[in-house]
Amino acid sequence: TIADGNTAVQALRNGEIDFRIGVHVEENRDTASEVLLTDRFAAIVRKDHPLAGRRLTHRRFAEAHHVTVSPVGKRTGPIDAALAKVGLERTHITTVTSFVVAAHLVATTDLVGSVPRTIAKTMAKALPIVSLEIPVALPTFDVCLTRHDRHGNDPSHQWLRDQITDAVRDLT
């Protein structure tokens, strides 16, 4: 866990964390990032959800009850911006900090979640959920592994990064 007030870059700099895996948002002079995968969002619902097996329209998607994922508690994002372009707004019920938590909530409720396709695919192996195409144009995003430059030539750090890269490659 990153100490209160620290950003991921600050935590990398002070050695609090060895690397960060996530959407790359900040270029920096003393960190390096490599793209692990390019992904996009999918909707997830429980297998017997009323929307499962149906074509998801803009309106059906927006009117469903949503669990939103945000590590910082933010309730809106690119999906909401895309819906706003067609004059719609999602019905947010709750916000959680983890895609895995969202998938577990979706598996046992009528909530609809929006998670990266890779996570939807992986979680569907363990939970009774299915993924649906989100009916709005959404950009893809890169998931990156970011490290501080001091770890660039560290053999054990490189080994761990290689293991992570191989595990992600197996997912995709």
Side-chain angles (χ1 to χ4, degrees):
T1 306
I2 297 173
D4 291 342
N6 274 355
T7 67
V9 171
Q10 290 167 325
L12 287 165
R13 279 187 185 134
N14 68 24
E16 193 176 338
I17 60 174
D18 290 323
F19 53 83
R20 174 189 180 271
I21 298 173
V23 177
H24 183 61
V25 294
E26 186 177 345
E27 283 297 325
N28 212 285
R29 71 185 186 296
D30 56 353
T31 61
S33 294
E34 65 180 277
V35 175
L36 295 173
L37 67 105
T38 300
D39 212 341
R40 64 188 190 129
F41 281 100
I44 55 170
V45 296
R46 64 181 164 78
K47 283 187 176 180
D48 58 348
H49 189 283
L51 294 176
R54 295 180 71 186
R55 186 176 150 271
L56 200 54
T57 65
H58 295 98
R59 187 160 307 285
R60 283 183 190 142
F61 179 70
E63 290 175 352
H65 293 157
H66 291 263
V67 54
T68 306
V69 179
S70 171
V72 294
K74 190 175 171 190
R75 291 180 66 106
T76 61
I79 294 170
D80 301 285
L83 282 170
K85 288 180 182 178
V86 295
L88 295 171
E89 186 177 329
R90 282 195 290 181
T91 305
H92 294 277
I93 298 300
T94 191
T95 302
V96 297
T97 59
S98 158
F99 292 122
V100 173
V101 171
H104 279 273
L105 277 174
V106 163
T108 59
T109 68
D110 277 342
L111 292 173
V112 174
S114 298
V115 303
R117 285 179 162 267
T118 305
I119 291 174
K121 179 179 158 185
T122 302
M123 295 305 294
K125 293 175 185 175
L127 296 171
I129 61 173
V130 295
S131 61
L132 306 169
E133 190 72 29
I134 295 176
V136 291
L138 294 170
T140 60
F141 53 90
D142 291 334
V143 177
C144 298
L145 185 148
T146 303
R147 61 160 173 83
H148 193 273
D149 287 343
R150 75 176 159 275
H151 295 301
N153 295 319
D154 179 330
S156 60
H157 202 275
Q158 181 61 54
W159 176 87
L160 182 55
R161 293 193 313 265
D162 290 344
Q163 298 303 305
I164 292 167
T165 301
D166 289 347
V168 169
R169 190 175 301 118
D170 289 344
L171 289 175
T172 58

